[in-house]
Amino acid sequence: MTNPSLLILPGDGIGPEVMAEVRKVIAWMGEKRDLTFDVSEDLVGGAAYDKHGVPLADETMAKAQEVDAVLLGAVGGPAYDDLDFSVKPERGLLRLRKEMDLFANLRPAQCFDALADFSSLKKDIVAGLDIMIVRELTSGVYFGEPRGIHTEGNERVGINTQRYTESEIARIAKSAFELARKRDNRVCSMEKANVMESGILWRDVVTEVHEKDYSDVELSHMYADNGAMQLVRNPKQFDVIVTDNLFGDILSDAAAMLTGSLGMLPSASLGAPMENGRPKALYEPVHGSAPDITGQSKANPIACILSFAMALRYSFDRGEEATMVEQAVEKVLADGARTGDLMGPDGGTPISTSEMGDAIIAALNAA
Ligand code: NAD
């Protein structure tokens, strides 16, 4: 048996700082759980631009296609703000998503009890929250043609097109149903079938996929505007939410903020299964490169560590180890460990990025 392979792309800003803490968890899995990864590391974003003049070298792209999973830190920063659009750090990330055809973006919104006070909502509404938003990532209005700005008569007109094929809807629906089976077995599909034809097709296809292969999963439908309202009214009613690229962009950001800090939020982007049955996969924290705190040991590594936990669960079928990591995070937070972004109004002394990583390893050892 060969070891599973991981490509690590730390990127820019706090990316390398948080990734150093993930490395500790990866090493721990090898030492304590007989789960050794073949880890390679490469450049993305501004770091790749500095060396190669492009935000993702072709060799790095080729490596990403070969490995079992890619783990990315963050890209971007003020040093690259004035670069041409075609070589901006974010283009490196977009190239990965596009060429790996990562059509399903998974964003869990999970509220750790110890952080329930950080939410802008009342504690009892968010405590224990555990929902998953599955956003279609490679189609819809961000990609549809025709698009552009042109002149009609004496004024300019901006155009974007919402376009979904049946197969695009079916594959994201399947991802959501499969995921629900590993959770609470419920899917809520959100669109605007009341005003958009693409929404009518979305609802039809999700229903067909459900009837054909997933009738054991509970399915409901909701208009996306009502979904936004329900997310802040009673988010715990949901298990898995599946929606298109545009609504998913907005709803997943809203759901993320239910849980407090950006430094806590992991994500996964998955594509079609490879020959070995594992999906193409990219795991990354939701946050960016945080130039305001780069190099100060202030970054919270938990989002990146929880992204690795998602890799354990969704790429490597090691749900037990994923849960161990999540419980270790829960334990250190319950014990009061806080990086600067998690300091409440009462103050206290924040710990550093590496102290947070060490605390999580200590909690893993103690479990
Ligand atoms: P950001 O997420 O980098 O930072 C927003 C705020 O949250 C900052 O105050 C930052 O200090 C804080 N923060 C973020 N992550 C944190 C962590 N782990 N621990 C503690 N605090 C944290 O967003 P931004 O400031 O809008 O963007 C900065 C750069 O990152 C830009 O160049 C942007 O393009 C890029 N960006 C990259 C990604 C990505 O790589 N996926 C995502 C968003 C933004």
Side-chain angles (χ1 to χ4, degrees), residues 102-121:
L102 304 173
F103 61 84
N105 183 229
L106 277 51
R107 293 216 351 210
Q110 200 174 0
C111 187
F112 292 94
D113 281 351
L115 298 183
D117 284 329
F118 278 77
S119 173
S120 47
L121 297 188

Side-chain angles (χ1 to χ4, degrees), residues 67-140:
V67 292
D68 292 320
V70 179
L71 195 57
L72 185 138
V75 295
Y80 309 103
D81 280 352
D82 296 330
L83 289 182
D84 185 71
F85 186 68
S86 63
V87 288
K88 274 195 183 294
E90 290 76 8
R91 304 298 298 177
L93 181 52
L94 292 177
R95 181 174 178 197
L96 282 165
R97 287 181 184 155
K98 182 161 190 290
E99 294 192 18
M100 292 168 76
D101 198 12
L102 304 173
F103 61 84
N105 183 229
L106 277 51
R107 293 216 351 210
Q110 200 174 0
C111 187
F112 292 94
D113 281 351
L115 298 183
D117 284 329
F118 278 77
S119 173
S120 47
L121 297 188
K122 290 195 195 89
K123 190 170 177 169
D124 59 318
I125 291 182
V126 291
L129 177 75
D130 181 9
I131 62 180
M132 176 76 81
I133 304 220
V134 180
R135 164 188 170 193
E136 200 291 325
L137 200 59
T138 52
S139 186

Side-chain angles (χ1 to χ4, degrees), residues 16-61:
E17 299 173 38
V18 295
M19 201 58 87
E21 304 313 307
V22 178
R23 285 266 195 181
K24 294 176 184 170
V25 181
I26 294 172
W28 188 90
M29 289 294 159
E31 283 161 25
K32 302 286 167 72
R33 301 293 299 178
D34 201 18
L35 178 56
T36 303
F37 293 93
D38 285 340
V39 180
S40 53
E41 187 169 317
D42 212 328
L43 303 173
V44 69
Y49 177 82
D50 289 341
K51 177 143 187 231
H52 303 296
V54 285
L56 189 77
D58 290 343
E59 306 80 68
T60 317
M61 187 65 241

Side-chain angles (χ1 to χ4, degrees), residues 71-72 265-268 283-286 302-312:
L71 195 57
L72 185 138
L265 298 168
S267 79
Y283 298 88
E284 54 176 326
V286 169
I302 292 178
C304 204
I305 289 173
L306 291 176
S307 301
F308 175 61
M310 290 187 82
L312 290 170

Side-chain angles (χ1 to χ4, degrees), residues 14 18 72-78 81 89-90 93 97 261-264 284-293 298-303 339-341:
I14 61 168
V18 295
L72 185 138
V75 295
D81 280 352
E90 290 76 8
L93 181 52
R97 287 181 184 155
S261 168
L262 207 47
M264 295 291 302
E284 54 176 326
V286 169
H287 63 71
S289 58
D292 53 333
I293 57 166
K298 286 182 180 168
N300 182 353
I302 292 178
T339 41
D341 57 310

Side-chain angles (χ1 to χ4, degrees), residues 4-312:
S5 55
L6 256 185
L7 171 62
I8 291 190
L9 302 173
D12 307 320
I14 61 168
E17 299 173 38
V18 295
M19 201 58 87
E21 304 313 307
V22 178
R23 285 266 195 181
K24 294 176 184 170
V25 181
I26 294 172
W28 188 90
M29 289 294 159
E31 283 161 25
K32 302 286 167 72
R33 301 293 299 178
D34 201 18
L35 178 56
T36 303
F37 293 93
D38 285 340
V39 180
S40 53
E41 187 169 317
D42 212 328
L43 303 173
V44 69
Y49 177 82
D50 289 341
K51 177 143 187 231
H52 303 296
V54 285
L56 189 77
D58 290 343
E59 306 80 68
T60 317
M61 187 65 241
K63 252 191 250 174
Q65 296 282 21
E66 278 164 22
V67 292
D68 292 320
V70 179
L71 195 57
L72 185 138
V75 295
Y80 309 103
D81 280 352
D82 296 330
L83 289 182
D84 185 71
F85 186 68
S86 63
V87 288
K88 274 195 183 294
E90 290 76 8
R91 304 298 298 177
L93 181 52
L94 292 177
R95 181 174 178 197
L96 282 165
R97 287 181 184 155
K98 182 161 190 290
E99 294 192 18
M100 292 168 76
D101 198 12
L102 304 173
F103 61 84
N105 183 229
L106 277 51
R107 293 216 351 210
Q110 200 174 0
C111 187
F112 292 94
D113 281 351
L115 298 183
D117 284 329
F118 278 77
S119 173
S120 47
L121 297 188
K122 290 195 195 89
K123 190 170 177 169
D124 59 318
I125 291 182
V126 291
L129 177 75
D130 181 9
I131 62 180
M132 176 76 81
I133 304 220
V134 180
R135 164 188 170 193
E136 200 291 325
L137 200 59
T138 52
S139 186
V141 74
Y142 293 162
F143 296 93
E145 299 281 350
R147 62 186 298 160
I149 301 175
H150 65 258
T151 303
E152 271 179 31
N154 57 1
E155 63 175 351
R156 289 178 302 158
V157 181
I159 297 176
N160 291 95
T161 303
Q162 167 85 331
R163 180 179 189 278
Y164 270 108
T165 63
E166 287 183 286
S167 52
E168 286 168 343
I169 301 168
R171 67 180 184 174
I172 192 76
K174 282 182 193 161
S175 298
F177 289 128
E178 291 287 342
L179 208 62
R181 280 181 174 160
K182 292 185 180 167
R183 297 172 46 94
D184 201 33
N185 218 29
R186 292 181 294 125
V187 170
C188 180
S189 169
M190 294 189 187
E191 27 56 18
K192 290 280 290 173
N194 49 343
V195 285
M196 296 170 75
E197 285 77 4
S198 58
I200 295 174
L201 184 71
W202 182 280
R203 192 175 281 220
D204 279 357
V205 175
V206 171
T207 305
E208 283 162 22
V209 170
H210 178 249
E211 280 169 4
K212 184 160 176 283
D213 291 320
Y214 296 96
S215 52
D216 56 302
V217 181
E218 188 184 312
L219 171 66
S220 58
H221 302 275
M222 198 177 269
Y223 297 139
D225 50 341
N226 183 28
M229 223 152 53
Q230 295 300 328
L231 264 178
V232 287
R233 194 184 71 84
N234 176 20
K236 283 190 257 183
Q237 70 184 284
F238 299 112
D239 178 27
V240 173
I241 292 173
V242 63
T243 188
D244 74 13
N245 202 343
L246 172 63
F247 297 139
D249 194 0
I250 297 165
L251 294 170
S252 63
D253 269 13
M257 278 301 106
L258 299 175
T259 69
S261 168
L262 207 47
M264 295 291 302
L265 298 168
S267 79
S269 301
L270 306 180
M274 300 183 282
E275 260 174 36
N276 61 12
R278 294 183 173 128
K280 290 253 174 190
L282 171 77
Y283 298 88
E284 54 176 326
V286 169
H287 63 71
S289 58
D292 53 333
I293 57 166
T294 295
Q296 301 171 38
S297 301
K298 286 182 180 168
N300 182 353
I302 292 178
C304 204
I305 289 173
L306 291 176
S307 301
F308 175 61
M310 290 187 82
L312 290 170

